[in-house]
Amino acid sequence: MPVSENSKGQKVWQLHTRNESLIRWFAYLLTVAAFMWCWAKISESTTWYFVWDAPRIAADIGGRALPPKWEYINELWVPIWDTLNIATLGTILALMMAVPVAFLAASNTTPSKVFVRPVALMIIVSTRSINSLIWALLLVSIIGPGVVAGLLAISIRSIGFCAKLLYEAIEEIDQKQIEAITATGASRWQVMLYGIVPQILPAFAGISVFRWDINIRESTVLGLVGAGGIGLQLQSSLNVLAWPQVALILVVILVAVVVGEWVSAKVRGAII
Amino acid sequence: MSDVTLDMRLGKPWKKPHFIKNPVTRWGLIIGALVYISFATGSLEVNWSRVSEGLVRGWNFIAAFATPDFVSRGTDIRDGLIESVIMTITSTIVGIAISIPIGLGAARNIAPLPVYLVCRGIIALSRALNEIIVAILMVAIFGFGPLAGFITLSFATIGFLAKLMAEDIEDMSRVQAEAIKSTGATWTQWINYGVQPQVMPRLVGLSMYRLDINFRESAVLGLVGAGGIGATLNTAFDRYEFDTAAAILLIIIATVMVLEYLSGVIRKKVQ
Amino acid sequence: MLKIDKLTKRYPTGDLALNAVELEIPKGQVVALIGPSGAGKSTLIRCINRLVQPTSGQAILNGVNITALGSGALRSARRKMGMIFQEYALVERLTVMENVLSGRLGYVGFWRSFLRKYSQEDIDEAFRLLDRVGLLAMADKRADELSGGQRQRVGIARALIQNPDLLLVDEPTASLDPKTSRQIMRLICELCAERELAAIINIHDVALAKMFVQRVIGLKLGELQFDGSPDQLTPEVLTRIYGEEDWEATIEKVDDEEAEDEAVL
């Protein structure tokens, strides 16, 4: 109770009861302690000499990186094209797989809540939890380096993401519209077509564009593990410490990200 | 009112009106998309012999999930995991602490224009740069190890949290905030009583969500030398030790699931 | 034409929504189904086309026992029963024309419905119905651009294009203003007369029901309480169905409003 009496018998108002306050303070204490411990661990494995030297190193790298080596752009056109393809085709492929998974995972469309739904949810969780770079690493070691590995990595990572958002949209549809279509004597698939699909189409379009935007960002770094795209050039430039080239690649990536965001905002505006 | 009569309609075919009305734009977009897709798929090169060779390895990898090996690289996995967790916790806490002032500054309805522009600039920069790229730069500047990962994740957290928080503040109810202002409260009191209660529940939810994202990201930072379990994973793949890799992936998935569950519980409690 | 025999529905929660309801409706008769909320009105009409699965008993339409049909035969049976809903239940993101044509889904195959390739007769009939309900000009508008009354008219056209023998109407006016409610009720009753359709109209506005139908059925707690002509709805009967209340006003009001209505026309 927030109101208590002090030793003189006067009523005192407090926001929290004593126990609540104790718990709160304890939680704060615990957080601070955990943070300090973690920090000590980080500090242990850090060579502080380098850190104190960091401003000088940063200035040094900056000085060497600028100005970017603009003529290097001619060697980047193909990687840029590859990066775009990885993101776009990867998104398309992901959507093709995410749609059935989403229908199997949504509790109102799944054929079996006991057997099918957990499997679909498992696919969603496992593909979502693992970063596309790890998927790329895995695929490069399975099918070899190249654009295809990157494309597959992006699409696998996107399945869970798209399917999760999509199945939530399916679960939120208006059941009365389904009922009305069922009452006309429509078959199961026709109910899907006329009752469910129109209702989730806007969400589907929004999700696709949203994920495509994210995939543009992610596909720029897949090359670091050999999965094609502009990241390959980044990696090789870093390996030979060609900082002006690195600077140009970063500029290109920034431009790509900004353009991607602009396009996705435009498309979303047009659809919804 | 309507100049359409039944006779005009009867006997005529009916077609669903097109989503894009202008036929030139419509066909232009369709043909453009088809041309793009055919060129894009055409430029993919698949080395089939390498793939068929790889399929065996792929199968081995899937089979490895049945027999994950937690033991033979047990200490590496444990150290990597602890490092990942440490990076996650510290970067989330620091990220939140920095996000709050920046988020306040990036809300147009409470910040003056110059502050707004600076804060929005920081957010835009943080969101545009991929974590991995930031990590590469941080490793180059601060050297290998978890410090680089910690800085990277904190920086990424700022872009995420501050942006959503600023949007939240911009959407908040003006009436409540004005009511507090009208009592003669100072700016800090106003933030504390008028803004904070409205934004807090979502901020807690988002922070939990970000904790989850930071853990997932911390698992890849090791690939570029910024600490965490990614380095162990990378080594496992390089040596084709799929059973160890499977074990690490299972740990990541399990941790993410637990975090997601916890954040769900906490978010429900707060809201 | 429609015969309901000891129809019973018990929900998994244990609630008995319908208790051995017996009912017979001849061709072309419009019946109002009244009763308090939770009386089982909605459940009754949904049990007839099996949107809700009855627990026991039979519903027989034109000699076919609907309750015993398999899924394929049920689809054909549902084509003969048009349904109209309280909140219109149009597919909001489809056009008016698509919504009307969706009433033909039971007759066309999957790919034809996917490609929107309906036969010319269906299309002509859809336009005729849209003209009849006064929405011809709206054919290519999206359903969510229409007002409540207009949406309900589309809902009526969708039910009629099925070429049904029976209309199942679930609270058609509950979301509409009084004037539109009357127009919609009048439209439904006129169309039933034109096409010799039987209809079960589930309605909670007793006064409105009395204005338009030939027969009223009262339902209370899943059991039949009253079955007769609108004139027989005395205060005693209404008390039996709904419970104690001053019913004189409801009954009087009807006459007043009717007079008023005629004056307007």
Side-chain angles (χ1 to χ4, degrees):
Chain A
M1 206 181 300
V3 182
S4 59
E5 284 182 15
N6 68 6
S7 51
K8 290 177 200 147
Q10 289 164 319
K11 295 235 190 267
V12 180
W13 179 83
Q14 282 168 316
L15 187 55
H16 303 287
T17 63
R18 212 184 58 172
N19 279 352
E20 268 178 3
S21 305
L22 274 178
I23 291 173
R24 271 166 183 267
W25 281 114
F26 189 68
Y28 282 127
L29 191 70
L30 207 66
T31 315
V32 172
F35 182 77
M36 294 315 280
W37 182 79
C38 292
W39 184 251
K41 278 279 183 186
I42 290 184
S43 164
E44 234 172 67
S45 43
T46 303
T47 319
W48 286 101
Y49 171 73
F50 285 134
V51 178
W52 301 133
D53 208 23
R56 199 188 58 76
I57 296 176
D60 180 43
I61 292 176
R64 271 193 271 171
L66 295 175
K69 190 177 164 194
W70 297 108
E71 60 275 14
Y72 183 59
I73 190 80
N74 289 322
E75 284 171 54
L76 291 180
W77 295 120
V78 175
I80 291 172
W81 168 250
D82 283 344
T83 307
L84 179 69
N85 291 344
I86 291 174
T88 312
L89 296 181
T91 310
I92 295 173
L93 199 63
L95 288 169
M96 287 197 262
M97 294 184 278
V99 169
V101 172
F103 274 97
L104 297 179
S107 52
N108 49 350
T109 53
T110 185
S112 154
K113 271 193 184 167
V114 189
F115 299 107
V116 181
R117 186 156 192 261
V119 175
L121 290 178
M122 196 61 223
I123 294 175
I124 291 176
V125 171
S126 52
T127 53
R128 232 166 70 82
S129 319
I130 295 174
N131 194 292
S132 51
L133 212 54
I134 297 179
W135 282 114
L137 197 64
L138 170 64
L139 285 158
V140 165
S141 94
I142 291 176
I143 61 172
V147 175
V148 179
L151 194 158
L152 289 177
I154 284 284
S155 61
I156 294 176
R157 165 70 177 88
S158 309
I159 294 176
F161 180 92
C162 298
K164 178 167 193 275
L165 293 176
L166 199 58
Y167 96 74
E168 284 168 355
I170 297 175
E171 286 182 348
E172 278 170 21
I173 56 174
D174 176 10
Q175 212 57 39
K176 293 209 73 165
Q177 298 180 26
I178 310 285
E179 218 181 18
I181 298 294
T182 314
T184 65
S187 68
R188 201 186 153 86
W189 290 103
Q190 285 174 325
V191 172
M192 194 92 108
L193 198 62
Y194 276 70
I196 300 177
V197 171
Q199 291 196 58
I200 59 166
L201 217 50
F204 176 78
I207 294 165
S208 318
V209 178
F210 184 32
R211 188 64 220 185
W212 178 76
D213 184 14
I214 298 176
N215 283 348
I216 288 273
R217 289 154 203 257
E218 301 214 327
S219 60
T220 55
V221 294
L222 291 179
L224 294 176
V225 294
I230 201 167
L232 279 175
Q233 268 62 31
L234 181 61
Q235 180 74 316
S236 53
S237 302
L238 280 170
N239 282 345
V240 295
L241 299 177
W243 290 106
Q245 291 182 20
V246 173
L248 180 70
I249 293 171
L250 291 185
V251 169
V252 168
I253 290 177
L254 274 181
V255 170
V257 168
V258 171
V259 170
E261 196 153 294
W262 180 78
V263 170
S264 77
K266 278 274 161 200
V267 174
R268 237 177 298 175
I271 294 171
I272 300 162
Chain B
M1 156 191 113
S2 70
D3 32 16
V4 190
T5 61
L6 186 57
D7 292 332
M8 285 165 64
R9 292 287 206 169
L10 287 185
K12 302 266 164 55
W14 169 83
K15 262 196 177 153
K16 183 182 168 64
H18 291 285
F19 177 65
I20 300 167
K21 299 234 162 43
N22 181 351
V24 179
T25 328
R26 182 170 70 239
W27 285 105
L29 282 174
I30 294 174
I31 292 171
L34 288 178
V35 168
Y36 167 73
I37 288 180
S38 56
F39 268 105
T41 41
S43 73
L44 296 180
E45 276 166 37
V46 187
N47 182 350
W48 290 108
S49 64
R50 177 72 177 76
V51 172
S52 63
E53 199 183 306
L55 282 180
V56 184
R57 230 172 294 153
W59 175 248
N60 286 345
F61 176 72
I62 292 168
F65 271 98
T67 55
D69 178 4
F70 294 91
V71 190
S72 54
R73 304 231 167 254
T75 33
D76 287 351
I77 296 177
R78 203 196 60 211
D79 292 347
L81 199 64
I82 290 177
E83 211 165 68
S84 272
V85 170
I86 285 174
M87 275 158 42
T88 310
I89 295 175
T90 47
S91 65
T92 311
I93 292 175
V94 171
I96 295 171
I98 303 176
S99 294
I100 291 174
I102 293 186
L104 288 173
R108 189 67 198 95
N109 52 349
I110 56 171
L113 189 64
V115 177
Y116 170 78
L117 290 177
V118 170
C119 291
R120 282 284 166 174
I122 295 174
I123 291 175
L125 189 68
S126 152
R127 286 170 49 79
L129 291 174
N130 191 301
E131 274 97 335
I132 295 294
I133 292 176
V134 178
I136 292 172
L137 294 178
M138 292 303 139
V139 168
I141 294 173
F142 294 101
F144 291 99
L147 184 72
F150 156 73
I151 295 173
T152 306
L153 290 177
S154 306
F155 185 60
T157 306
I158 295 170
F160 176 86
L161 271 184
K163 175 168 189 276
L164 293 172
M165 196 176 133
E167 281 169 3
D168 228 28
I169 296 174
E170 285 174 350
D171 288 344
M172 75 180 180
S173 143
R174 291 179 66 92
V175 191
Q176 290 180 38
E178 272 168 5
I180 298 295
K181 214 172 203 176
S182 69
T183 63
T186 63
W187 191 83
T188 38
Q189 284 171 330
W190 177 53
I191 297 292
N192 187 213
Y193 280 78
V195 179
Q196 193 197 341
Q198 294 194 56
V199 184
M200 204 57 183
R202 223 171 97 81
L203 182 65
V204 173
L206 287 173
S207 304
M208 285 309 295
Y209 181 45
R210 187 64 215 189
L211 186 73
D212 175 15
I213 298 179
N214 278 348
F215 179 76
R216 277 187 250 178
E217 293 293 332
S218 77
V220 291
L221 295 182
L223 300 183
V224 294
I229 199 161
T232 323
L233 189 63
N234 199 6
T235 322
F237 277 123
D238 281 348
R239 295 182 186 154
Y240 295 113
E241 288 170 351
F242 286 146
D243 37 7
T244 303
I248 296 173
L249 291 182
L250 285 176
I251 291 175
I252 294 176
I253 294 175
T255 315
V256 169
M257 278 171 83
V258 170
L259 278 177
E260 227 165 62
Y261 175 75
L262 278 181
S263 77
V265 170
I266 291 178
R267 261 183 282 181
K268 256 196 204 125
K269 248 199 153 136
V270 176
Q271 270 155 6
Chain C
M1 189 206 62
L2 177 72
K3 188 168 181 296
I4 293 174
D5 187 23
K6 292 208 181 64
L7 201 65
T8 302
K9 171 68 190 174
R10 189 184 284 279
Y11 282 107
T13 50
D15 297 323
L16 190 64
L18 292 177
N19 190 5
V21 174
E22 302 259 356
L23 197 61
E24 202 159 338
I25 296 173
K27 190 174 167 68
Q29 189 179 58
V30 178
V31 178
L33 189 59
I34 63 169
S37 306
K41 305 191 295 282
S42 216
T43 307
L44 176 59
I45 64 172
R46 280 176 169 73
C47 277
I48 296 173
N49 67 0
R50 276 181 52 195
L51 285 178
V52 171
Q53 194 62 35
T55 314
S56 67
Q58 297 179 325
I60 297 162
L61 181 72
N62 293 330
V64 179
N65 181 3
I66 296 164
T67 36
L69 295 177
S71 65
L74 177 63
R75 282 186 58 200
S76 325
R78 276 181 178 157
R79 303 191 306 209
K80 287 288 153 199
M81 297 179 282
M83 190 156 176
I84 298 170
F85 293 82
Q86 174 179 349
E87 273 152 344
Y88 333 119
L90 299 183
V91 182
E92 295 190 353
R93 296 191 63 91
L94 294 183
T95 61
V96 167
M97 191 64 180
E98 284 173 286
N99 267 293
V100 176
L101 285 170
S102 71
R104 298 300 292 177
L105 285 177
Y107 294 89
V108 300
F110 175 79
W111 288 109
R112 291 180 71 94
S113 57
F114 177 74
L115 298 168
R116 312 294 196 256
K117 282 228 173 285
Y118 291 88
S119 70
Q120 190 61 44
E121 293 129 63
D122 287 356
I123 289 164
D124 286 350
E125 178 63 12
F127 279 127
R128 251 181 239 120
L129 280 165
L130 278 178
D131 188 44
R132 178 66 185 82
V133 300
L135 290 176
L136 191 62
M138 305 283 192
D140 286 334
K141 282 234 158 73
R142 237 168 61 175
D144 53 8
E145 292 174 54
L146 304 186
S147 69
Q150 291 174 327
R151 289 187 202 196
Q152 193 57 290
R153 287 162 191 273
V154 177
I156 293 169
R158 173 175 66 189
L160 288 175
I161 203 171
Q162 284 178 235
N163 196 17
D165 295 327
L166 172 69
L167 278 186
L168 302 169
V169 190
D170 189 15
E171 302 278 14
T173 62
S175 314
L176 300 173
D177 66 66
K179 182 166 178 245
T180 319
S181 296
R182 284 177 175 218
Q183 291 171 341
I184 291 292
M185 275 300 279
R186 184 173 297 120
L187 182 64
I188 292 174
C189 294
E190 281 173 8
L191 286 164
C192 285
E194 280 169 27
R195 296 167 173 247
E196 291 199 299
L197 284 178
I200 302 180
I201 304 176
N202 166 353
I203 188 164
H204 64 214
D205 187 339
V206 178
L208 193 64
K210 287 180 71 173
M211 279 165 64
F212 292 104
V213 302
Q214 301 118 333
R215 179 180 168 193
V216 176
I217 290 170
L219 210 58
K220 185 187 181 185
L221 293 174
E223 287 180 33
L224 225 55
Q225 288 287 343
F226 172 79
D227 186 348
S229 74
D231 321 327
Q232 291 169 299
L233 269 183
T234 57
E236 294 76 58
V237 173
L238 287 173
T239 303
R240 207 164 73 221
I241 300 172
Y242 288 97
E244 205 65 56
E245 185 51 62
D246 177 16
W247 295 108
E248 294 297 339
T250 313
I251 292 166
E252 303 241 318
K253 199 179 86 195
V254 181
D255 303 331
D256 291 350
E257 280 182 43
E258 215 149 21
E260 213 176 277
D261 216 34
E262 273 155 24
V264 172
L265 294 170

